[in-house]
C-alpha cells in the first residue's frame, strides 16, 4: 500500500510539472493576510510571544503546577496536530504546544536559522519562560528528531521522552552529512499550491485517508499560505543536515516510548527496531491501522499508551 501511494504521488507531481513546463500556465497561489489567519487559528492573543528573539505561537494549557509536557510537531504541520491530545491531557497536566518558527502562526525565524540547534535554543527559552526546569517531551516526525536531539544534549531538562514516528535516519534525498537538494516542486511552492495536490500529499500521512476531513485540509492549506511560511519551509529543508542518530540516541537518559503507526507511508515502521536498539531505555508500541500522525488519526487510541507511559 505504501508503494502504491508513493507511485501515485510521484505520478501526480511529475504530471503537474509537465503541465507547467509544457503549457507555461502559472497557478499562482498568494499568501493569506496574517490578520485573517489569526482570526481563524489564534485562540488567544497571548498565545503569540517573543521567545529567544523571535515570535512563537504557542498554547500553554492546564494547571500551572501540574507535571508538564511539551509537544513538537512535524514538517509542514502546526500545533493544531496536537489539539485532541492537548485538550485531553490538560485536565491533569500542564501541556505546552508551539509552532516551529516559520510554520503555523509562528513567523519565519528572525535569525534565519532553522537548524535543530536553533530549535533547542527556542525550546530552552520556552521552558525558562514557563518556569520549567524539567518536562516530558513528545515529538512527531521531525519533531521527534528535535526531541531526541534535545534529550541527548540536555538530559537534565527531560523527564520522559515520547517519539511518534520520528525522523532521523537516512531516506531518499537525505544523506548523512549533506544538505539535500531542494526539488523543483518544492521550489515552485513559493508561487503555486494546488489544493488537490496538497490533499494528495497529506493523504500519505493517514492509513485511512477518509479521516482527513475538509476541515483538516483547509487548516493545512491556510497555514502553509501564511506570510513567509513557504520560504521558511524551503530554508528549513536546505538547512537539514542529518547525522547518524545512534550516537545521539545512546546519550538519551530519559525513559522513552516509541510510538509508530503500522501503516506509516511517510517514515516506515521498519525503522522502529533501529531506534529500539540504540535507545538505552525504550518501550515500543505499534499502532495497527494507523499512519504517520496517530494523534490526528485516532487520538483516543494513540494517547492511551502515552498517558500510561507518562504516569508510570
Amino acid at each position: 500500500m505504501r508503494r502504491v501511494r508513493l507511485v501515485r504521488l510521484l505520478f501526480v507531481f511529475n504530471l503537474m510539472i509537465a503541465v507547467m513546463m509544457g503549457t507555461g500556465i502559472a497557478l499562482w497561489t498568494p499568501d493569506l493576510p496574517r490578520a485573517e489567519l489569526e482570526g481563524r487559528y489564534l485562540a488567544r492573543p497571548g498565545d503569540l510571544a517573543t521567545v529567544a528573539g523571535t515570535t512563537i505561537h504557542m498554547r500553554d494549557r492546564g494547571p500551572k503546577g501540574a507535571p508538564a509536557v511539551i509537544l513538537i510537531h512535524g514538517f509542514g504541520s502546526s500545533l493544531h496536530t496536537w489539539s485532541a491530545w492537548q485538550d485531553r491531557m490538560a485536565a491533569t497536566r500542564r501541556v505546552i504546544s508551539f509552532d516551529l518558527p516559520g510554520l503555523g502562526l509562528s513567523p519565519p525565524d528572525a535569525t534565519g536559522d532553522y537548524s535543530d540547534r536553533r530549535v533547542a535554543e527556542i525550546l530552552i527559552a520556552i521552558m525558562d519562560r514557563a518556569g520549567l526546569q524539567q518536562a516530558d517531551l513528545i515529538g512527531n516526525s521531525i519533531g521527534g528528531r528535535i526531541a531526541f536531539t534535545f534529550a541527548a544534549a540536555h538530559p537534565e531538562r527531560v523527564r520522559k521522552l515520547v517519539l511518534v514516528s520520528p525522523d532521523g535516519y537516512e531516506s531518499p534525498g537525505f544523506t548523512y552529512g549533506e544538505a539535500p537538494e531542494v526539488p523543483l516542486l518544492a521550489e515552485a511552492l513559493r508561487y503555486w499550491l494546488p489544493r488537490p495536490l496538497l490533499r494528495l500529499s497529506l493523504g500519505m500521512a493517514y492509513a485511512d485517508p477518509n479521516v482527513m476531513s475538509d476541515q483538516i485540509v483547509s487548516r493545512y492549506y491556510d497555514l502553509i499560505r501564511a506570510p513567509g511560511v513557504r520560504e521558511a519551509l524551503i530554508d528549513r529543508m536546505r538547512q537539514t543536515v542529518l547525522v547518524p542518530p545512534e550516537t545521539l540516541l545512546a546519550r538519551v537518559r530519559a525513559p522513552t516510548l516509541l510510538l509508530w503507526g503500522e501503516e506509516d507511508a511517510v517514515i516506515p515502521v521498519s525503522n522502529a527496531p533501529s531506534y529500539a536498539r540504540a535507545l538505552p531505555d525504550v518501550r515500543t508500541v505499534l499502532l495497527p491501522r494507523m499512519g504517520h500522525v496517530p494523534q490526528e488519526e485516532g487520538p483516543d487510541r494513540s494517547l492511551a499508551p502515552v498517558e500510561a507511559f507518562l504516569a508510570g
Side-chain angles (χ1 to χ4, degrees):
M1 182 176 293
R2 177 173 179 266
R3 184 185 299 273
V4 171
R5 290 181 186 172
L6 288 173
V7 169
R8 188 189 341 161
L9 183 62
L10 288 172
F11 171 77
V12 173
F13 280 1
N14 291 332
L15 177 62
M16 297 198 76
I17 290 173
V19 168
M20 288 183 66
M21 295 179 65
T23 67
I25 296 175
L27 303 175
W28 182 53
T29 310
D31 287 344
L32 294 175
R34 184 164 183 88
E36 179 181 332
L37 292 171
E38 289 185 6
R40 294 179 193 172
Y41 300 108
L42 182 64
R44 304 174 184 173
D47 288 348
L48 290 174
T50 299
V51 179
T54 195
T55 300
I56 294 294
H57 174 221
M58 61 182 177
R59 291 182 178 174
D60 185 350
R61 305 292 189 264
K64 293 297 186 285
V69 57
I70 299 175
L71 310 169
I72 309 174
H73 66 77
F75 186 81
S77 188
S78 70
L79 59 75
H80 294 85
T81 191
W82 302 112
S83 291
W85 278 20
Q86 185 160 21
D87 289 346
R88 288 160 174 76
M89 286 193 290
T92 57
R93 297 179 179 275
R94 183 178 185 181
V95 188
I96 299 173
S97 61
F98 68 100
D99 288 337
L100 292 171
L103 289 170
L105 291 180
S106 290
D109 197 308
T111 69
D113 184 352
Y114 295 97
S115 65
D116 290 354
R117 182 170 56 184
R118 169 60 178 163
V119 179
E121 293 175 359
I122 292 170
L123 185 52
I124 288 175
I126 288 173
M127 294 181 71
D128 290 347
R129 185 177 186 273
L132 299 174
Q133 288 301 310
Q134 193 177 63
D136 297 327
L137 213 55
I138 301 177
N140 174 223
S141 197
I142 69 164
R145 187 188 74 225
I146 290 167
F148 73 68
T149 301
F150 183 87
H154 305 280
E156 74 286 355
R157 305 300 297 260
V158 182
R159 189 186 76 97
K160 288 190 175 182
L161 181 65
V162 179
L163 304 177
V164 184
S165 307
D167 175 51
Y169 281 90
E170 283 184 317
S171 60
F174 289 88
T175 303
Y176 295 140
E178 298 180 12
E181 291 187 13
V182 177
L184 175 63
L185 182 67
E187 294 278 6
L189 289 177
R190 287 190 184 95
Y191 313 107
W192 65 283
L193 182 62
R195 185 183 174 106
L197 180 61
L198 179 65
R199 175 181 280 276
L200 182 62
S201 178
L202 289 174
M204 291 182 60
Y206 300 84
D208 180 5
N210 293 320
V211 174
M212 187 181 57
S213 65
D214 288 340
Q215 182 180 9
I216 290 174
V217 175
S218 292
R219 186 189 76 221
Y220 276 94
Y221 190 58
D222 287 349
L223 290 175
I224 204 171
R225 296 168 63 196
V229 163
R230 284 177 280 183
E231 190 69 38
L233 278 170
I234 295 169
D235 288 343
R236 185 179 297 279
M237 195 180 301
R238 282 203 181 100
Q239 295 177 27
T240 298
V241 179
L242 295 179
V243 298
E246 289 85 0
T247 302
L248 291 171
L249 295 169
R251 288 162 47 195
V252 172
R253 293 293 170 260
T256 302
L257 173 65
L258 187 61
L259 191 69
W260 221 302
E262 289 186 345
E263 296 185 33
D264 191 335
V266 179
I267 301 178
V269 69
S270 57
N271 283 8
S274 297
Y275 282 96
R277 286 191 295 269
L279 285 159
D281 183 358
V282 62
R283 175 189 174 194
T284 301
V285 174
L286 304 183
L287 299 169
R289 304 180 306 283
M290 286 201 188
H292 190 60
V293 286
Q295 69 274 12
E296 292 187 30
E297 189 162 16
D300 289 331
R301 185 156 62 96
S302 59
L303 182 57
V306 174
E307 290 191 311
F309 172 73
L310 295 181

